[in-house]
Amino acid sequence: MPLLGFMLPLIGLFIAPIYPLLNSTVLSHLPKNLHSPMSGLIIIFSALGGTLGSRIVGILFGEVGGIKAFYVLLIPMILLIVSVLVIQRIIKKKSQSVAVASANAAA
């Protein structure tokens, strides 16, 4: 088995913490009255993504083979990393603007 065959399960090991992290981050920056609707949306889209993602990966493995399918799977991983970085940047900007506003209010 090629090395990539052993690396594929490692993808799940690194992706697994992203879901609860993003869920917690999004919910902690929303007002309390929006937690339930947002949780519902997160659950619906994660269920759809998990179902459709597994189906697409199965079709990819059947059509193009395991090694090429692995490279295709790197695309969603890169998109997840980019989205986490964008969310982190938005949160930092928001935190800085809140800090500046409270400093101005205190002065």
Side-chain angles (χ1 to χ4, degrees):
M1 179 178 285
L3 180 61
L4 290 177
F6 292 105
M7 291 177 64
L8 191 60
L10 290 176
I11 293 171
L13 185 67
F14 292 108
I15 289 180
I18 291 175
Y19 177 78
L21 175 72
L22 289 177
N23 196 2
S24 173
T25 303
V26 167
L27 290 178
S28 67
H29 288 85
L30 283 176
K32 293 275 186 197
N33 62 337
L34 294 178
H35 282 203
S36 293
M38 183 55 78
S39 293
L41 284 174
I42 290 171
I43 290 169
I44 288 169
F45 284 108
S46 66
L48 285 173
T51 303
L52 292 175
S54 297
R55 181 90 172 150
I56 291 169
V57 169
I59 292 169
L60 272 173
F61 266 76
E63 295 293 322
V64 299
I67 293 175
K68 289 181 183 176
F70 173 78
Y71 290 119
V72 173
L73 292 175
L74 292 175
I75 295 169
M77 287 176 43
I78 291 168
L79 290 174
L80 279 171
I81 290 169
V82 168
S83 65
V84 167
L85 294 174
V86 168
I87 290 171
Q88 181 182 14
R89 183 173 293 166
I90 291 170
I91 290 171
K92 279 184 180 180
K93 283 182 182 178
K94 184 177 178 181
S95 298
Q96 288 173 352
S97 65
V98 168
V100 168
S102 28
N104 289 339

